[in-house]
Amino acid sequence: RSLDGRFIFAAGYGREQFEVYLRTLFSVFGYWYLIPETEPLGTGGAICNALSMISSDPFIVVNADTICDIDFNALLDNHRQIDFPITVPNADQYRNVGVYVLTKVAMQIAAANLGPKFDLDDAMGNFPKAGISVNWYPTTAKFWDIGSPEGLETFRCLRKDQAERRA
């Protein structure tokens, strides 16, 4: 999500179906943009591909296969107080929760060092070598990796159980 209220999505495989879903979801609220990928770029490469569309700096990135119950205002406050170019919320001994606060210059440096196709995990190891500090933000926020059929099913069962308890 761009801090100015826009949502920017990068999509490769299945982007036509994703676009139909976005049109339904965002017809009610907000501006959104879909940046198509003609080839897999990795999360970092996709972000760099979309930098011209991102009007805020810093900006928040949430992995599409992650659901995270994090307080984004507290995260941004911490990012601004620490004043590092990158903030990565983590839980359980530096386990990334799929959320990032990034700056354009940090992503441009990563692309210069890693090329146009890279994952953010690769960039995290490269940033200190390039003199870019990473703020590892400890969080107790619950998060679910729904990037696998098993992870998605676990999340669905949890939500179903919660709904049944409320009824």
Side-chain angles (χ1 to χ4, degrees):
R1 178 174 187 248
S2 171
L3 297 179
D4 65 1
R6 295 182 304 145
F7 291 82
I8 301 168
F9 299 92
Y13 175 77
R15 78 174 162 260
E16 293 83 9
Q17 292 172 317
F18 188 55
E19 187 169 2
V20 169
Y21 173 74
L22 288 174
R23 288 191 188 286
T24 303
L25 178 67
F26 284 95
S27 65
V28 177
F29 63 102
Y31 297 101
W32 63 274
Y33 301 91
L34 181 65
I35 309 292
E37 291 181 15
T38 56
E39 60 182 321
L41 299 175
T43 305
I47 293 166
C48 289
N49 192 38
L51 281 180
S52 65
M53 296 292 296
I54 299 171
S55 58
S56 58
D57 203 6
F59 57 96
I60 297 173
V61 172
V62 179
N63 288 344
D65 62 355
T66 301
I67 296 174
C68 185
D69 187 22
I70 194 164
D71 181 341
F72 286 100
N73 289 322
L75 174 63
L76 285 171
D77 287 347
N78 175 270
H79 175 80
R80 290 182 177 119
Q81 287 171 356
I82 299 296
D83 198 29
F84 282 10
I86 298 165
T87 297
V88 182
N90 59 46
D92 306 328
Q93 304 273 327
Y94 295 99
R95 192 167 68 151
N96 181 338
V97 300
V99 176
Y100 307 85
V101 181
L102 303 170
T103 59
K104 290 181 179 182
V105 70
M107 294 309 297
Q108 291 163 341
I109 290 170
N113 288 325
L114 299 171
K117 300 177 189 179
F118 64 95
D119 289 318
L120 280 179
D121 289 340
D122 297 334
M124 292 305 144
N126 184 270
F127 286 133
K129 296 174 195 168
I132 297 173
S133 299
V134 177
N135 172 27
W136 297 99
Y137 175 75
T139 183
T140 57
K142 293 182 180 180
F143 71 101
W144 298 268
D145 182 349
I146 59 169
S148 69
E150 299 83 19
L152 180 58
E153 186 58 28
T154 299
F155 179 74
R156 284 180 175 159
C157 289
L158 173 70
R159 294 310 244 189
K160 182 180 176 187
D161 289 346
Q162 288 174 342
E164 288 172 355
R165 275 186 263 145
R166 278 187 240 137

